[in-house]
């Protein structure tokens, strides 16, 4: 029995590798988003802590130098939070693009797999038909033993 040979097997293999690569890139990007989101949460908590320290110092005697220090510290933390939010926004845009690339790679792989399945079915039908012809030929041309 001849072996099924799919002529696009190399392309299918490349499509599978490409899809795996896109999956890896997408998961790495999602992990980076999670890390950056955690950094943002930490920065916001640090700013809240600084604000609470400022409130605590305002209860006692007011020192102008201390107020200036807390004002600069809070302004810097707000700037860092804004930068982190911008970074997260850019990462989410990249995530959207990576998701689209992954979806396209999955569609391409499925397309070649479906073509392979169809060709395999056609091959099986043709092979079965050829075997049946051969069996019919044998049954017509062979006489049972003992008959003349």
């Amino acid at each position: 029995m001849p072996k099924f040979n799919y002529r696009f097997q190399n392309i299918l293999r490349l499509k599978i590798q490409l899809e795996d690569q896109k999956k890896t890139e997408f998961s790495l990007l999602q992990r980076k988003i999670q890390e950056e989101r955690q950094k943002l949460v930490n920065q916001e908590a640090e700013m809240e802590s600084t604000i609470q320290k400022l409130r605590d110092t305002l209860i006692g005697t007011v020192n102008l130098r201390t107020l200036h220090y807390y004002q600069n510290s809070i302004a810097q933390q707000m700037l860092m939070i804004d930068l982190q939010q911008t970074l997260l926004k850019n990462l989410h845009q990249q995530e959207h693009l990576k998701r689209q690339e992954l979806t396209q790679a999955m569609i391409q792989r499925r397309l070649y797999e479906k073509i392979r399945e169809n060709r395999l079915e056609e091959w099986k039908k043709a092979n079965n038909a050829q075997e049946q012809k051969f069996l019919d030929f044998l049954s017509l041309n062979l006489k049972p033993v003992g008959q003349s």
Side-chain angles (χ1 to χ4, degrees), residues 42-147:
N42 292 343
Q43 288 173 346
E44 289 172 342
E46 185 180 334
M47 188 174 90
E48 286 299 319
S49 173
T50 304
I51 290 172
Q52 187 59 41
K53 287 178 186 176
L54 174 61
R55 287 183 185 138
D56 292 343
T57 58
L58 290 177
I59 293 173
T61 58
V62 177
N63 183 349
L64 200 55
R65 179 180 286 171
T66 305
L67 287 176
H68 186 65
Y69 166 77
Y70 282 117
Q71 179 186 10
N72 288 339
S73 179
I74 291 171
Q76 184 179 11
Q77 288 172 349
M78 288 175 70
L79 178 64
M80 294 301 290
I81 288 172
D82 285 343
L83 289 174
Q84 193 67 23
Q85 288 173 338
T86 303
L87 175 64
L88 273 171
K89 182 179 177 184
N90 289 338
L91 287 174
H92 281 294
Q93 289 173 348
Q94 288 178 15
E95 179 187 33
H96 179 70
L97 293 175
K98 289 291 181 186
R99 182 176 286 122
Q100 287 178 337
E101 290 174 7
L102 175 59
T103 302
Q104 286 300 317
M106 290 171 72
I107 289 170
Q108 290 280 322
R109 177 196 45 87
R110 283 192 217 131
L111 174 71
Y112 279 93
E113 284 179 346
K114 190 66 177 172
I115 292 171
R116 183 183 189 283
E117 288 174 13
N118 291 342
R119 297 276 167 84
L120 180 61
E121 285 300 316
E122 291 171 3
W123 178 82
K124 284 180 181 178
K125 286 178 184 176
N127 197 34
N128 287 341
Q130 187 178 13
E131 285 179 4
Q132 190 61 44
K133 279 183 186 178
F134 180 70
L135 291 175
D136 290 345
F137 174 76
L138 285 178
S139 67
L140 290 176
N141 290 330
L142 291 179
K143 294 181 184 176
V145 176
Q147 286 187 357

Side-chain angles (χ1 to χ4, degrees), residues 28-41:
L28 289 174
L29 184 59
Q30 284 184 320
R31 188 176 306 136
K32 182 164 178 71
I33 288 172
Q34 281 300 110
E35 291 170 0
E36 296 300 326
R37 191 175 289 139
Q38 187 59 44
K39 284 181 186 178
L40 178 63
V41 168

